[in-house]
Amino acid sequence: MSTRPFRLFRFYHANDTAKDWAYADLGFGQAEIRWGAADHLVHVQRKHVLEAYRRVTQKTRKGYVFLGTIWLDDQGHRVPT
């Protein structure tokens, strides 16, 4: 099982729920993008790293807040550091 650092962004809804979006630069021009309910990054896709950077701009314009870097395993579970 491998782990990698993800840059985590969170959007807070008015009803006190939240959703997360995160990406990891995999190297070689690729990025892994994960999203889902807060602390449940179950959805995953791989895109060109430039697409991930473009989405960061979109997400922050929509109100997502950068929370920091977290480590996730291959299934998207947070790994304690």
Side-chain angles (χ1 to χ4, degrees), residues 1 8 15 32 37 50 68-70:
M1 175 172 61
L8 177 65
N15 65 0
E32 182 174 315
L50 294 178
T69 300
I70 61 170

Side-chain angles (χ1 to χ4, degrees), residues 39-58:
D39 296 318
H40 293 92
L41 296 162
V42 296
H43 305 284
V44 62
Q45 65 182 189
R46 291 198 176 191
K47 295 284 185 181
H48 194 281
V49 72
L50 294 178
E51 175 65 17
Y53 297 156
R54 185 182 69 76
R55 289 186 185 184
V56 166
T57 301
Q58 289 177 337

Side-chain angles (χ1 to χ4, degrees), residues 13-42:
H13 296 284
N15 65 0
D16 291 329
T17 61
K19 58 185 176 180
D20 287 349
W21 183 88
Y23 80 93
D25 186 338
L26 302 175
F28 306 104
Q30 295 295 306
E32 182 174 315
I33 297 171
R34 290 190 168 268
W35 70 96
D39 296 318
H40 293 92
L41 296 162
V42 296

